[in-house]
PDB file of all heavy atoms in Angstrom:
ATOM      1  N   GLU A 291     116.965 115.216 114.019  1.00 98.00           N
ATOM      2  CA  GLU A 291     118.321 115.331 113.460  1.00 98.00           C
ATOM      3  C   GLU A 291     119.339 115.422 114.585  1.00 98.00           C
ATOM      4  O   GLU A 291     119.072 116.018 115.633  1.00 98.00           O
ATOM      5  CB  GLU A 291     118.416 116.559 112.554  1.00 98.00           C
ATOM      6  CG  GLU A 291     117.529 116.414 111.325  1.00 98.00           C
ATOM      7  CD  GLU A 291     117.736 117.500 110.261  1.00 98.00           C
ATOM      8  OE1 GLU A 291     118.423 118.505 110.549  1.00 98.00           O
ATOM      9  OE2 GLU A 291     117.208 117.335 109.164  1.00 98.00           O
ATOM     10  N   PHE A 292     120.492 114.844 114.320  1.00 98.00           N
ATOM     11  CA  PHE A 292     121.551 114.809 115.340  1.00 98.00           C
ATOM     12  C   PHE A 292     122.788 115.492 114.777  1.00 98.00           C
ATOM     13  O   PHE A 292     123.082 115.375 113.588  1.00 98.00           O
ATOM     14  CB  PHE A 292     121.866 113.351 115.711  1.00 98.00           C
ATOM     15  CG  PHE A 292     122.834 113.209 116.841  1.00 98.00           C
ATOM     16  CD1 PHE A 292     122.421 113.396 118.156  1.00 98.00           C
ATOM     17  CD2 PHE A 292     124.174 112.917 116.603  1.00 98.00           C
ATOM     18  CE1 PHE A 292     123.317 113.274 119.213  1.00 98.00           C
ATOM     19  CE2 PHE A 292     125.072 112.793 117.654  1.00 98.00           C
ATOM     20  CZ  PHE A 292     124.643 112.980 118.964  1.00 98.00           C
ATOM     21  N   GLU A 293     123.500 116.205 115.658  1.00 98.00           N
ATOM     22  CA  GLU A 293     124.748 116.850 115.218  1.00 98.00           C
ATOM     23  C   GLU A 293     125.887 115.830 115.237  1.00 98.00           C
ATOM     24  O   GLU A 293     126.565 115.653 116.249  1.00 98.00           O
ATOM     25  CB  GLU A 293     125.091 118.019 116.135  1.00 98.00           C
ATOM     26  CG  GLU A 293     124.166 119.203 116.008  1.00 98.00           C
ATOM     27  CD  GLU A 293     124.458 120.258 117.070  1.00 98.00           C
ATOM     28  OE1 GLU A 293     125.646 120.527 117.361  1.00 98.00           O
ATOM     29  OE2 GLU A 293     123.484 120.776 117.651  1.00 98.00           O
ATOM     30  N   TYR A 294     126.060 115.134 114.130  1.00 98.00           N
ATOM     31  CA  TYR A 294     127.200 114.221 113.976  1.00 98.00           C
ATOM     32  C   TYR A 294     128.433 115.076 113.679  1.00 98.00           C
ATOM     33  O   TYR A 294     128.304 116.245 113.281  1.00 98.00           O
ATOM     34  CB  TYR A 294     126.963 113.262 112.800  1.00 98.00           C
ATOM     35  CG  TYR A 294     125.737 112.381 112.931  1.00 98.00           C
ATOM     36  CD1 TYR A 294     124.537 112.742 112.331  1.00 98.00           C
ATOM     37  CD2 TYR A 294     125.790 111.187 113.638  1.00 98.00           C
ATOM     38  CE1 TYR A 294     123.414 111.932 112.436  1.00 98.00           C
ATOM     39  CE2 TYR A 294     124.673 110.373 113.735  1.00 98.00           C
ATOM     40  CZ  TYR A 294     123.492 110.756 113.137  1.00 98.00           C
ATOM     41  OH  TYR A 294     122.374 109.951 113.247  1.00 98.00           O
ATOM     42  N   PRO A 295     129.628 114.514 113.781  1.00 97.00           N
ATOM     43  CA  PRO A 295     130.818 115.313 113.468  1.00 97.00           C
ATOM     44  C   PRO A 295     130.841 115.777 112.005  1.00 97.00           C
ATOM     45  O   PRO A 295     131.500 116.741 111.673  1.00 97.00           O
ATOM     46  CB  PRO A 295     131.978 114.346 113.746  1.00 97.00           C
ATOM     47  CG  PRO A 295     131.425 113.332 114.674  1.00 97.00           C
ATOM     48  CD  PRO A 295     129.972 113.197 114.341  1.00 97.00           C
ATOM     49  N   PHE A 296     130.078 115.096 111.125  1.00 96.00           N
ATOM     50  CA  PHE A 296     130.062 115.488 109.718  1.00 96.00           C
ATOM     51  C   PHE A 296     128.837 116.334 109.385  1.00 96.00           C
ATOM     52  O   PHE A 296     128.525 116.555 108.225  1.00 96.00           O
ATOM     53  CB  PHE A 296     130.119 114.240 108.803  1.00 96.00           C
ATOM     54  CG  PHE A 296     129.230 113.116 109.258  1.00 96.00           C
ATOM     55  CD1 PHE A 296     127.881 113.107 108.935  1.00 96.00           C
ATOM     56  CD2 PHE A 296     129.743 112.087 110.036  1.00 96.00           C
ATOM     57  CE1 PHE A 296     127.055 112.094 109.370  1.00 96.00           C
ATOM     58  CE2 PHE A 296     128.916 111.058 110.481  1.00 96.00           C
ATOM     59  CZ  PHE A 296     127.571 111.064 110.146  1.00 96.00           C
ATOM     60  N   GLY A 297     128.135 116.824 110.406  1.00 96.00           N
ATOM     61  CA  GLY A 297     127.006 117.731 110.174  1.00 96.00           C
ATOM     62  C   GLY A 297     125.723 117.244 110.818  1.00 96.00           C
ATOM     63  O   GLY A 297     125.645 116.120 111.302  1.00 96.00           O
ATOM     64  N   GLN A 298     124.729 118.155 110.840  1.00 97.00           N
ATOM     65  CA  GLN A 298     123.441 117.804 111.430  1.00 97.00           C
ATOM     66  C   GLN A 298     122.620 117.030 110.405  1.00 97.00           C
ATOM     67  O   GLN A 298     122.284 117.566 109.349  1.00 97.00           O
ATOM     68  CB  GLN A 298     122.706 119.078 111.848  1.00 97.00           C
ATOM     69  CG  GLN A 298     121.368 118.774 112.509  1.00 97.00           C
ATOM     70  CD  GLN A 298     120.683 120.019 113.034  1.00 97.00           C
ATOM     71  OE1 GLN A 298     121.315 120.880 113.640  1.00 97.00           O
ATOM     72  NE2 GLN A 298     119.393 120.111 112.797  1.00 97.00           N
ATOM     73  N   LYS A 299     122.333 115.773 110.729  1.00 97.00           N
ATOM     74  CA  LYS A 299     121.621 114.917 109.771  1.00 97.00           C
ATOM     75  C   LYS A 299     120.611 114.028 110.490  1.00 97.00           C
ATOM     76  O   LYS A 299     120.670 113.876 111.708  1.00 97.00           O
ATOM     77  CB  LYS A 299     122.628 114.037 109.019  1.00 97.00           C
ATOM     78  CG  LYS A 299     123.549 114.860 108.134  1.00 97.00           C
ATOM     79  CD  LYS A 299     124.363 114.007 107.198  1.00 97.00           C
ATOM     80  CE  LYS A 299     125.376 114.834 106.447  1.00 97.00           C
ATOM     81  NZ  LYS A 299     124.811 115.852 105.576  1.00 97.00           N
ATOM     82  N   GLU A 300     119.753 113.397 109.678  1.00 97.00           N
ATOM     83  CA  GLU A 300     118.654 112.608 110.250  1.00 97.00           C
ATOM     84  C   GLU A 300     119.152 111.447 111.116  1.00 97.00           C
ATOM     85  O   GLU A 300     120.036 110.692 110.720  1.00 97.00           O
ATOM     86  CB  GLU A 300     117.797 112.049 109.104  1.00 97.00           C
ATOM     87  CG  GLU A 300     116.631 111.222 109.603  1.00 97.00           C
ATOM     88  CD  GLU A 300     115.801 110.614 108.469  1.00 97.00           C
ATOM     89  OE1 GLU A 300     115.911 111.080 107.319  1.00 97.00           O
ATOM     90  OE2 GLU A 300     115.047 109.667 108.761  1.00 97.00           O
ATOM     91  N   LEU A 301     118.532 111.377 112.291  1.00 98.00           N
ATOM     92  CA  LEU A 301     118.756 110.216 113.151  1.00 98.00           C
ATOM     93  C   LEU A 301     117.504 109.325 113.094  1.00 98.00           C
ATOM     94  O   LEU A 301     117.589 108.143 112.791  1.00 98.00           O
ATOM     95  CB  LEU A 301     119.042 110.678 114.584  1.00 98.00           C
ATOM     96  CG  LEU A 301     119.023 109.619 115.668  1.00 98.00           C
ATOM     97  CD1 LEU A 301     120.147 108.603 115.479  1.00 98.00           C
ATOM     98  CD2 LEU A 301     119.146 110.263 117.055  1.00 98.00           C
ATOM     99  N   TYR A 302     116.352 109.945 113.406  1.00 98.00           N
ATOM    100  CA  TYR A 302     115.089 109.214 113.423  1.00 98.00           C
ATOM    101  C   TYR A 302     114.029 109.979 112.627  1.00 98.00           C
ATOM    102  O   TYR A 302     114.178 111.171 112.386  1.00 98.00           O
ATOM    103  CB  TYR A 302     114.554 109.102 114.860  1.00 98.00           C
ATOM    104  CG  TYR A 302     115.407 108.318 115.831  1.00 98.00           C
ATOM    105  CD1 TYR A 302     115.388 108.645 117.187  1.00 98.00           C
ATOM    106  CD2 TYR A 302     116.194 107.255 115.418  1.00 98.00           C
ATOM    107  CE1 TYR A 302     116.143 107.923 118.111  1.00 98.00           C
ATOM    108  CE2 TYR A 302     116.945 106.536 116.338  1.00 98.00           C
ATOM    109  CZ  TYR A 302     116.923 106.885 117.679  1.00 98.00           C
ATOM    110  OH  TYR A 302     117.662 106.179 118.580  1.00 98.00           O
ATOM    111  N   GLY A 303     112.939 109.278 112.324  1.00 98.00           N
ATOM    112  CA  GLY A 303     111.802 109.943 111.689  1.00 98.00           C
ATOM    113  C   GLY A 303     110.520 109.587 112.424  1.00 98.00           C
ATOM    114  O   GLY A 303     110.372 108.483 112.953  1.00 98.00           O
ATOM    115  N   LEU A 304     109.611 110.564 112.473  1.00 98.00           N
ATOM    116  CA  LEU A 304     108.270 110.307 113.012  1.00 98.00           C
ATOM    117  C   LEU A 304     107.291 110.757 111.942  1.00 98.00           C
ATOM    118  O   LEU A 304     107.294 111.935 111.564  1.00 98.00           O
ATOM    119  CB  LEU A 304     108.063 111.100 114.312  1.00 98.00           C
ATOM    120  CG  LEU A 304     106.659 111.043 114.906  1.00 98.00           C
ATOM    121  CD1 LEU A 304     106.283 109.631 115.335  1.00 98.00           C
ATOM    122  CD2 LEU A 304     106.548 111.975 116.120  1.00 98.00           C
ATOM    123  N   ALA A 305     106.502 109.801 111.439  1.00 97.00           N
ATOM    124  CA  ALA A 305     105.625 110.155 110.314  1.00 97.00           C
ATOM    125  C   ALA A 305     104.175 109.776 110.606  1.00 97.00           C
ATOM    126  O   ALA A 305     103.897 108.745 111.233  1.00 97.00           O
ATOM    127  CB  ALA A 305     106.093 109.430 109.048  1.00 97.00           C
ATOM    128  N   TYR A 306     103.279 110.638 110.144  1.00 97.00           N
ATOM    129  CA  TYR A 306     101.856 110.302 110.142  1.00 97.00           C
ATOM    130  C   TYR A 306     101.576 109.773 108.735  1.00 97.00           C
ATOM    131  O   TYR A 306     101.592 110.527 107.781  1.00 97.00           O
ATOM    132  CB  TYR A 306     101.032 111.547 110.463  1.00 97.00           C
ATOM    133  CG  TYR A 306      99.545 111.381 110.254  1.00 97.00           C
ATOM    134  CD1 TYR A 306      98.898 110.203 110.644  1.00 97.00           C
ATOM    135  CD2 TYR A 306      98.778 112.388 109.687  1.00 97.00           C
ATOM    136  CE1 TYR A 306      97.538 110.034 110.454  1.00 97.00           C
ATOM    137  CE2 TYR A 306      97.410 112.235 109.489  1.00 97.00           C
ATOM    138  CZ  TYR A 306      96.801 111.054 109.868  1.00 97.00           C
ATOM    139  OH  TYR A 306      95.452 110.884 109.672  1.00 97.00           O
ATOM    140  N   ARG A 307     101.386 108.445 108.628  1.00 96.00           N
ATOM    141  CA  ARG A 307     101.248 107.833 107.299  1.00 96.00           C
ATOM    142  C   ARG A 307      99.799 107.733 106.848  1.00 96.00           C
ATOM    143  O   ARG A 307      99.528 107.148 105.797  1.00 96.00           O
ATOM    144  CB  ARG A 307     101.872 106.423 107.302  1.00 96.00           C
ATOM    145  CG  ARG A 307     103.367 106.399 107.549  1.00 96.00           C
ATOM    146  CD  ARG A 307     103.953 104.980 107.565  1.00 96.00           C
ATOM    147  NE  ARG A 307     104.108 104.410 106.252  1.00 96.00           N
ATOM    148  CZ  ARG A 307     105.247 103.919 105.745  1.00 96.00           C
ATOM    149  NH1 ARG A 307     106.351 103.946 106.459  1.00 96.00           N
ATOM    150  NH2 ARG A 307     105.287 103.407 104.542  1.00 96.00           N
ATOM    151  N   GLY A 308      98.875 108.290 107.638  1.00 97.00           N
ATOM    152  CA  GLY A 308      97.459 108.206 107.268  1.00 97.00           C
ATOM    153  C   GLY A 308      97.041 106.754 107.119  1.00 97.00           C
ATOM    154  O   GLY A 308      97.521 105.869 107.849  1.00 97.00           O
ATOM    155  N   ASP A 309      96.160 106.490 106.124  1.00 97.00           N
ATOM    156  CA  ASP A 309      95.750 105.098 105.887  1.00 97.00           C
ATOM    157  C   ASP A 309      96.358 104.593 104.584  1.00 97.00           C
ATOM    158  O   ASP A 309      95.890 103.613 103.996  1.00 97.00           O
ATOM    159  CB  ASP A 309      94.221 104.972 105.875  1.00 97.00           C
ATOM    160  CG  ASP A 309      93.580 105.883 104.826  1.00 97.00           C
ATOM    161  OD1 ASP A 309      94.316 106.522 104.043  1.00 97.00           O
ATOM    162  OD2 ASP A 309      92.338 105.960 104.800  1.00 97.00           O
ATOM    163  N   TYR A 310      97.408 105.287 104.122  1.00 96.00           N
ATOM    164  CA  TYR A 310      98.009 104.997 102.815  1.00 96.00           C
ATOM    165  C   TYR A 310      98.343 103.513 102.660  1.00 96.00           C
ATOM    166  O   TYR A 310      97.930 102.865 101.703  1.00 96.00           O
ATOM    167  CB  TYR A 310      99.270 105.848 102.629  1.00 96.00           C
ATOM    168  CG  TYR A 310      99.996 105.544 101.341  1.00 96.00           C
ATOM    169  CD1 TYR A 310      99.620 106.159 100.150  1.00 96.00           C
ATOM    170  CD2 TYR A 310     101.032 104.611 101.302  1.00 96.00           C
ATOM    171  CE1 TYR A 310     100.269 105.858  98.963  1.00 96.00           C
ATOM    172  CE2 TYR A 310     101.681 104.299 100.116  1.00 96.00           C
ATOM    173  CZ  TYR A 310     101.294 104.927  98.952  1.00 96.00           C
ATOM    174  OH  TYR A 310     101.921 104.623  97.783  1.00 96.00           O
ATOM    175  N   ASP A 311      99.096 102.969 103.613  1.00 97.00           N
ATOM    176  CA  ASP A 311      99.624 101.602 103.430  1.00 97.00           C
ATOM    177  C   ASP A 311      98.528 100.547 103.481  1.00 97.00           C
ATOM    178  O   ASP A 311      98.468  99.666 102.624  1.00 97.00           O
ATOM    179  CB  ASP A 311     100.688 101.312 104.500  1.00 97.00           C
ATOM    180  CG  ASP A 311     101.807 102.320 104.436  1.00 97.00           C
ATOM    181  OD1 ASP A 311     102.767 102.102 103.704  1.00 97.00           O
ATOM    182  OD2 ASP A 311     101.703 103.381 105.110  1.00 97.00           O
ATOM    183  N   LEU A 312      97.654 100.644 104.510  1.00 98.00           N
ATOM    184  CA  LEU A 312      96.598  99.621 104.605  1.00 98.00           C
ATOM    185  C   LEU A 312      95.685  99.682 103.389  1.00 98.00           C
ATOM    186  O   LEU A 312      95.262  98.654 102.861  1.00 98.00           O
ATOM    187  CB  LEU A 312      95.810  99.794 105.903  1.00 98.00           C
ATOM    188  CG  LEU A 312      96.527  99.360 107.191  1.00 98.00           C
ATOM    189  CD1 LEU A 312      95.585  99.461 108.383  1.00 98.00           C
ATOM    190  CD2 LEU A 312      97.076  97.939 107.094  1.00 98.00           C
ATOM    191  N   LYS A 313      95.379 100.890 102.926  1.00 98.00           N
ATOM    192  CA  LYS A 313      94.484 101.029 101.750  1.00 98.00           C
ATOM    193  C   LYS A 313      95.137 100.418 100.519  1.00 98.00           C
ATOM    194  O   LYS A 313      94.496  99.735  99.734  1.00 98.00           O
ATOM    195  CB  LYS A 313      94.181 102.511 101.504  1.00 98.00           C
ATOM    196  CG  LYS A 313      93.117 103.064 102.448  1.00 98.00           C
ATOM    197  CD  LYS A 313      91.923 103.600 101.634  1.00 98.00           C
ATOM    198  CE  LYS A 313      90.714 103.893 102.501  1.00 98.00           C
ATOM    199  NZ  LYS A 313      90.595 105.305 102.844  1.00 98.00           N
ATOM    200  N   LYS A 314      96.437 100.675 100.334  1.00 97.00           N
ATOM    201  CA  LYS A 314      97.146 100.137  99.161  1.00 97.00           C
ATOM    202  C   LYS A 314      97.193  98.606  99.209  1.00 97.00           C
ATOM    203  O   LYS A 314      96.935  97.938  98.214  1.00 97.00           O
ATOM    204  CB  LYS A 314      98.582 100.683  99.097  1.00 97.00           C
ATOM    205  CG  LYS A 314      98.661 102.104  98.602  1.00 97.00           C
ATOM    206  CD  LYS A 314      98.500 102.138  97.091  1.00 97.00           C
ATOM    207  CE  LYS A 314      98.388 103.562  96.590  1.00 97.00           C
ATOM    208  NZ  LYS A 314      97.801 103.696  95.275  1.00 97.00           N
ATOM    209  N   HIS A 315      97.539  98.071 100.378  1.00 98.00           N
ATOM    210  CA  HIS A 315      97.619  96.606 100.476  1.00 98.00           C
ATOM    211  C   HIS A 315      96.236  95.975 100.340  1.00 98.00           C
ATOM    212  O   HIS A 315      96.102  94.877  99.789  1.00 98.00           O
ATOM    213  CB  HIS A 315      98.290  96.182 101.791  1.00 98.00           C
ATOM    214  CG  HIS A 315      99.767  96.433 101.792  1.00 98.00           C
ATOM    215  ND1 HIS A 315     100.627  95.845 100.888  1.00 98.00           N
ATOM    216  CD2 HIS A 315     100.552  97.228 102.567  1.00 98.00           C
ATOM    217  CE1 HIS A 315     101.863  96.264 101.103  1.00 98.00           C
ATOM    218  NE2 HIS A 315     101.847  97.111 102.118  1.00 98.00           N
ATOM    219  N   ALA A 316      95.196  96.669 100.823  1.00 98.00           N
ATOM    220  CA  ALA A 316      93.831  96.150 100.669  1.00 98.00           C
ATOM    221  C   ALA A 316      93.478  96.107  99.183  1.00 98.00           C
ATOM    222  O   ALA A 316      92.944  95.111  98.684  1.00 98.00           O
ATOM    223  CB  ALA A 316      92.850  97.043 101.424  1.00 98.00           C
ATOM    224  N   GLU A 317      93.842  97.184  98.469  1.00 98.00           N
ATOM    225  CA  GLU A 317      93.522  97.273  97.027  1.00 98.00           C
ATOM    226  C   GLU A 317      94.269  96.185  96.235  1.00 98.00           C
ATOM    227  O   GLU A 317      93.670  95.442  95.468  1.00 98.00           O
ATOM    228  CB  GLU A 317      93.947  98.670  96.557  1.00 98.00           C
ATOM    229  CG  GLU A 317      93.680  98.964  95.108  1.00 98.00           C
ATOM    230  CD  GLU A 317      94.413 100.249  94.661  1.00 98.00           C
ATOM    231  OE1 GLU A 317      94.677 101.142  95.505  1.00 98.00           O
ATOM    232  OE2 GLU A 317      94.753 100.312  93.457  1.00 98.00           O
ATOM    233  N   TYR A 318      95.568  96.058  96.473  1.00 97.00           N
ATOM    234  CA  TYR A 318      96.372  95.118  95.679  1.00 97.00           C
ATOM    235  C   TYR A 318      96.120  93.660  96.057  1.00 97.00           C
ATOM    236  O   TYR A 318      96.269  92.772  95.229  1.00 97.00           O
ATOM    237  CB  TYR A 318      97.870  95.436  95.813  1.00 97.00           C
ATOM    238  CG  TYR A 318      98.317  96.575  94.913  1.00 97.00           C
ATOM    239  CD1 TYR A 318      97.896  97.888  95.156  1.00 97.00           C
ATOM    240  CD2 TYR A 318      99.148  96.348  93.817  1.00 97.00           C
ATOM    241  CE1 TYR A 318      98.295  98.937  94.342  1.00 97.00           C
ATOM    242  CE2 TYR A 318      99.553  97.402  92.997  1.00 97.00           C
ATOM    243  CZ  TYR A 318      99.127  98.685  93.265  1.00 97.00           C
ATOM    244  OH  TYR A 318      99.517  99.720  92.462  1.00 97.00           O
ATOM    245  N   SER A 319      95.790  93.399  97.330  1.00 98.00           N
ATOM    246  CA  SER A 319      95.581  92.001  97.745  1.00 98.00           C
ATOM    247  C   SER A 319      94.103  91.616  97.660  1.00 98.00           C
ATOM    248  O   SER A 319      93.747  90.467  97.907  1.00 98.00           O
ATOM    249  CB  SER A 319      96.073  91.798  99.177  1.00 98.00           C
ATOM    250  OG  SER A 319      95.261  92.551 100.075  1.00 98.00           O
TER     251      SER A 319
END
Side-chain angles (χ1 to χ4, degrees):
E291 295 189 349
F292 186 78
E293 290 173 41
Y294 300 96
F296 43 83
Q298 182 175 317
K299 294 191 186 297
E300 180 182 342
L301 168 65
Y302 296 150
L304 174 64
Y306 170 41
R307 296 179 77 125
D309 57 6
Y310 176 85
D311 302 271
L312 286 185
K313 281 239 168 99
K314 283 282 172 200
H315 287 299
E317 181 193 333
Y318 279 69
S319 66

